[in-house]
């Protein structure tokens, strides 16, 4: 039997920005509008941990239309918030806040001026997982080292070496990508829309090409007030590039037993086995191989998120506005 009832499209089930605002106001529960499902899970964990009474809504579940087309992602969040603002709703700041990645907006001069949009201070949410806590988690997960050993100074020293390697591998690549984004006439094989950095980092021709332009790229970076340090890298590096390269460096350190070799040579505080010469049982040796996919999933947890600067206080302002 053919069911001739009118089919309901997904779009028919989605709320519009104004309907979203109305539900927030009627329910007296502010709404955080975020870019997608990865952000949704993290922000849900954040508000639950900080006991903030707001509803988190991914833009995918809102119908936002611009120039006759539905839009999602960061542009969808911006457009949705703008639609609420344009309706001259004086109390909108009490009920809704959009959160978006910074991306390259500083350099493209495209930062949203809407006060109902919170702009992250790093390129994207992935950039907030590159920290000492996620590094410690990887070591404890893949080796026999316990938490007491992970409180020692050597951990910070080894993590700093990871920072230095990240800068070495990614800084010039990022500047090259930014230059191509800002100068339509600039010739480069680097495309920031490619998610896997290995497309460039493992291509010797591209690596050598970028290296040959180091002086020019550093001058370009200086003109944009970009310094060659980790804080700049966290701000300018595409999140997927940064996270994948970070995990790759940690994987190499663990799987090649770099820490175990340092322990055996007494370059870091020795484990009990190496102290008595039983190097074969060194606690710094990996007990299982570090896997890229598993590690990436493991550290992309709220537990290892550096909460974006000013975000909690901004969310708490919603009902106070």
């Amino acid at each position: 039997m053919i069911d001739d009832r009118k089919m309901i499209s997904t779009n028919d089930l989605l709320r519009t920005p104004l309907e979203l605002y109305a539900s927030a106001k009627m329910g007296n529960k502010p709404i955080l509008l975020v870019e997608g499902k990865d952000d949704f899970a993290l922000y849900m964990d954040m508000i639950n941990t900080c006991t903030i009474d707001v509803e988190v809504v991914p833009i995918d579940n809102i119908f936002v239309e611009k120039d006759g087309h539905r839009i999602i992602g960061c542009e969808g969040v911006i457009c949705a918030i703008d639609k609420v603002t344009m309706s001259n709703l004086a109390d909108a700041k009490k009920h809704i806040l959009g959160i978006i990645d910074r991306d390259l907006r500083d350099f493209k001069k495209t930062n949203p001026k809407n006060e109902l949009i919170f702009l992250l201070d790093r390129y994207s949410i992935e950039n907030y997982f590159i920290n000492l806590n996620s590094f410690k988690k990887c070591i404890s997960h893949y080796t026999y080292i316990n938490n007491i050993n992970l409180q020692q100074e050597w951990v910070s020293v080894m993590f700093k070496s990871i920072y230095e390697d990240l800068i070495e591998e990614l800084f010039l690549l990022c500047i090259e990508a930014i230059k191509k984004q800002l100068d339509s006439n600039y010739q480069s094989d680097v495309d920031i829309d490619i998610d896997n950095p290995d497309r460039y980092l493992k291509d010797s021709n591209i690596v050598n090409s970028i290296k040959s332009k180091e002086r020019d790229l550093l001058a370009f970076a200086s003109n944009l007030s970009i310094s060659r340090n980790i804080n700049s890298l966290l701000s300018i590096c595409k999140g997927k590039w940064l996270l994948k390269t970070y995990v790759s460096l940690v994987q190499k350190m663990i799987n090649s037993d770099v820490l175990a070799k340092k322990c055996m040579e007494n370059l870091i505080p020795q484990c009990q086995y190496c102290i008595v010469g039983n190097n074969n049982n060194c606690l710094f040796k990996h007990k299982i191989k570090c896997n890229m996919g598993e590690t990436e999933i493991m550290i992309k947890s709220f537990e290892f998120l550096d909460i974006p600067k000013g975000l909690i206080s901004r969310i708490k302002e919603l009902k106070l506005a």
Side-chain angles (χ1 to χ4, degrees):
M1 183 176 75
I2 298 176
D3 187 348
D4 59 357
R5 291 176 298 180
K6 180 181 178 181
M7 295 294 291
I8 299 176
S9 71
T10 300
N11 289 347
D12 292 328
L13 300 174
L14 301 179
R15 289 177 288 181
T16 67
L18 292 182
E19 289 172 337
L20 186 69
Y21 160 78
S23 67
K25 185 173 183 178
M26 291 175 60
N28 195 31
K29 188 171 186 176
I31 283 176
L32 290 186
L33 193 58
V34 301
E35 291 189 28
K37 60 184 179 182
D38 286 343
D39 304 271
F40 172 77
L42 287 170
Y43 290 122
M44 281 294 297
D45 286 343
M46 183 178 69
I47 64 168
N48 288 333
T49 301
C50 299
T51 60
I52 306 173
D53 187 25
V54 298
E55 179 184 358
V56 181
V57 178
I59 192 63
D60 317 57
N61 290 339
I62 302 300
F63 184 73
V64 187
E65 197 173 25
K66 184 177 182 180
D67 299 327
H69 300 284
R70 186 187 173 204
I71 56 173
I72 54 176
C74 61
E75 295 306 319
V77 173
I78 293 171
C79 186
I81 296 296
D82 283 345
K83 287 180 182 293
V84 172
T85 305
M86 286 187 293
S87 299
N88 294 318
L89 301 168
D91 61 349
K93 65 174 64 175
K94 294 182 181 179
H95 302 293
I96 191 166
L97 179 70
I99 304 175
I100 62 171
D101 295 340
R102 182 166 291 273
D103 298 327
L104 296 178
R105 295 180 182 279
D106 290 341
F107 310 112
K108 293 182 176 181
K109 310 298 183 187
T110 56
N111 286 343
K113 296 179 174 58
N114 196 317
E115 66 176 340
L116 301 186
I117 293 176
F118 184 92
L119 190 64
L120 297 180
D121 62 340
R122 296 181 185 176
Y123 189 103
S124 67
I125 196 67
E126 288 95 341
N127 297 39
Y128 293 88
F129 295 108
I130 316 302
N131 55 54
L132 187 59
N133 285 333
S134 65
F135 181 61
K136 289 179 178 179
K137 175 63 177 179
C138 292
I139 295 175
S140 64
H141 183 77
Y142 290 111
T143 74
Y144 298 92
I145 291 301
N146 59 38
N147 289 329
I148 294 177
N149 294 102
L150 292 177
Q151 307 310 314
Q152 298 173 341
E153 180 61 25
W154 68 265
V155 185
S156 296
V157 173
M158 294 305 299
F159 180 63
K160 183 180 179 182
S161 74
I162 294 287
Y163 265 174
E164 291 168 350
D165 289 342
L166 282 172
I167 295 169
E168 180 66 25
E169 294 208 19
L170 291 173
F171 185 77
L172 290 180
L173 176 65
C174 291
I175 301 302
E176 175 83 351
I178 293 172
K179 189 168 185 178
K180 183 178 181 181
Q181 286 285 307
L182 301 184
D183 183 355
S184 59
N185 295 318
Y186 185 66
Q187 298 298 311
S188 174
D189 292 323
V190 176
D191 184 353
I192 205 164
D193 291 329
I194 299 297
D195 286 343
N196 192 343
D198 287 346
R199 166 69 180 82
Y200 308 117
L201 297 177
K202 295 188 181 301
D203 186 321
S204 60
N205 290 328
I206 291 178
V207 171
N208 291 334
S209 173
I210 292 175
K211 191 69 176 175
S212 71
K213 296 183 282 186
E214 181 173 2
R215 179 176 295 181
D216 290 339
L217 290 173
L218 290 177
F220 178 75
S222 179
N223 288 335
L224 293 175
S225 299
I226 302 174
S227 302
R228 191 170 185 165
N229 57 44
I230 192 61
N231 288 330
S232 288
L233 191 66
L234 292 173
S235 297
I236 67 171
C237 187
K238 183 182 176 77
K240 289 182 173 61
W241 291 5
L242 189 64
L243 188 62
K244 287 181 181 298
T245 306
Y246 172 63
V247 171
S248 177
L249 290 170
V250 172
Q251 179 191 48
K252 182 179 178 180
M253 178 180 288
I254 290 172
N255 289 353
S256 59
D257 285 327
V258 168
L259 297 177
K261 292 169 185 174
K262 288 183 177 295
C263 182
M264 294 173 196
E265 296 171 9
N266 201 19
L267 297 176
I268 58 177
Q270 288 187 302
C271 70
Q272 288 191 29
Y273 285 94
C274 288
I275 287 175
V276 297
N278 189 357
N279 294 349
N280 288 335
N281 286 322
C282 177
L283 296 177
F284 284 97
K285 284 186 175 182
H286 65 272
K287 55 188 175 186
I288 52 174
K289 287 282 188 180
C290 178
N291 175 276
M292 284 280 292
E294 176 192 17
T295 305
E296 200 170 313
I297 292 171
M298 178 176 69
I299 66 175
K300 282 181 68 175
S301 161
F302 177 72
E303 179 183 357
F304 307 111
L305 179 76
D306 283 336
I307 297 179
K309 183 180 179 180
L311 181 56
I312 297 295
S313 59
R314 179 63 184 88
I315 294 173
K316 289 181 176 179
E317 288 174 3
L318 281 169
K319 285 190 174 183
L320 301 174

